[in-house]
Amino acid sequence: MSHREQIDSIISRQFLPDIDAAADTVYLYAGAIAEIEKCVVVVSDLKSCTSRIFNGAFSQILGLTGNTLEDSIWEKEILSKMSAREQEEKYLAELRFYNFLRRMPRRKRSDYYLVTLLKFDDCRGGTIDVLHRMYYRYDDQWDAIRFAICVYGPATLAIPAKSAAVDSVTGKWEELLSADDSRILTSREKQVLTLIDKGLTSKVIADRLCISRNTVSRHRQEILAKLHVKNSTEACQRAKHMHII
């Protein structure tokens, strides 16, 4: 499963279809930011599974013209300006950011945004450094993300890392590294997943770790949730890819 599919799996499972929000306010904000900052702003609505792209003057350098609406939360027109490698960098940064927020108290999650330095193809056939900022807007009633707001502009400011989580209140940042991936699962969950990867059944795992089968089942469910996968096979594959086990 690719990093893009991982993010897609995350947001499609966590969203509640009956959630409502003031979408017009978000779109007005996005349009204003695109005009004022001259940047490109993408609003992905996780309820309707659509994306609206608001093109400021910077879009001309990227060869983008006019505001568009896409039937996907993935802004295909924007992604077409990036290499496959850069797209994977973007997806991986977003996956790490999502797991970073899961470790935060709920009241603090909306304080953070993601910054990633990416390379885009420009309209002249060359490449340009682009600063990508991503903000999640949570629904007021539910612990679920309603909107993902991405802002793309020229990399005029130095950032401390390839990708980082930034506290918009204090200005403090935390680099998102592959080393952080090991923190996604607890030590016990890693033990259980390692034994699952060896083909052991829940009963055998329970006996070996001196825990009940119900406890093993709870660990399994928690592992699937944290790695955002559908089954144990995918969990093992993803954990190996991220060097968790």
Side-chain angles (χ1 to χ4, degrees):
M1 181 181 288
S2 69
H3 296 131
R4 170 172 168 166
E5 290 171 331
Q6 293 174 29
I7 296 293
D8 213 10
S9 174
I10 293 169
I11 58 182
S12 63
R13 287 212 310 263
Q14 65 90 49
F15 188 74
L16 299 175
D18 59 346
I19 291 177
D20 195 13
D24 289 345
T25 301
V26 175
Y27 293 135
L28 285 172
Y29 163 81
I33 292 298
E35 181 179 355
I36 294 170
E37 293 192 18
K38 313 301 180 185
C39 56
V40 177
V41 183
V42 180
V43 179
S44 296
D45 186 336
L46 310 188
K47 180 178 181 180
S48 64
C49 293
T50 59
S51 294
R52 290 193 183 185
I53 301 175
F54 299 85
N55 285 318
F58 179 64
S59 64
Q60 298 173 13
I61 294 177
L62 301 177
L64 303 172
T65 57
N67 298 337
T68 59
L69 175 65
E70 294 187 4
D71 293 327
S72 169
I73 60 170
W74 301 104
E75 56 273 23
K76 289 175 284 188
E77 186 175 11
I78 303 294
L79 294 174
S80 69
K81 302 297 180 179
M82 305 164 59
S83 68
R85 180 176 180 179
E86 287 298 291
Q87 290 181 36
E88 284 301 302
E89 287 284 348
K90 178 179 183 291
Y91 301 142
L92 184 55
E94 292 179 5
L95 180 62
R96 287 173 178 158
F97 180 60
Y98 184 87
N99 279 295
F100 170 85
L101 292 180
R102 289 184 83 252
R103 300 193 295 270
M104 291 283 122
R106 291 184 180 181
R107 60 182 177 80
K108 286 287 294 177
R109 291 175 185 173
S110 61
D111 290 348
Y112 285 85
Y113 64 93
L114 170 70
V115 292
T116 310
L117 186 62
L118 300 168
K119 283 192 178 296
F120 275 55
D121 297 329
D122 62 23
C123 61
R124 299 179 180 177
T127 59
I128 182 173
D129 289 334
V130 174
L131 184 65
H132 167 235
R133 290 173 283 155
M134 186 183 73
Y135 304 81
Y136 284 141
R137 175 163 179 142
Y138 290 83
D139 182 83
D140 293 334
Q141 219 175 352
W142 304 93
D143 182 31
I145 301 165
R146 171 64 193 270
F147 297 101
I149 303 169
C150 291
V151 182
Y152 299 92
T156 55
L157 300 176
I159 65 171
K162 177 71 174 179
S163 62
V166 182
D167 187 332
S168 58
V169 178
T170 66
K172 294 181 180 179
W173 58 272
E174 185 169 336
E175 185 175 1
L176 300 175
L177 299 169
S178 58
D180 296 331
D181 297 342
S182 63
R183 301 168 60 187
I184 296 175
L185 301 182
T186 66
S187 298
R188 178 64 88 184
E189 288 165 352
K190 292 176 186 177
Q191 284 182 314
V192 171
L193 189 57
T194 299
L195 295 176
I196 291 173
D197 187 49
K198 293 180 179 179
L200 275 61
T201 65
S202 292
K203 182 180 184 306
V204 175
I205 293 173
D207 292 340
R208 182 165 299 189
L209 298 179
C210 299
I211 57 179
S212 70
R213 290 183 64 180
N214 287 338
T215 300
V216 174
S217 295
R218 286 198 298 271
H219 284 313
R220 280 181 180 269
Q221 293 305 311
E222 191 64 18
I223 290 168
L224 299 186
K226 288 182 176 180
L227 295 179
H228 315 298
V229 291
K230 298 177 182 178
N231 54 57
S232 297
T233 300
E234 289 183 1
C236 293
Q237 291 173 346
R238 183 165 302 168
K240 290 177 181 177
H241 179 76
M242 300 177 77
H243 304 290
I244 295 175
I245 62 171

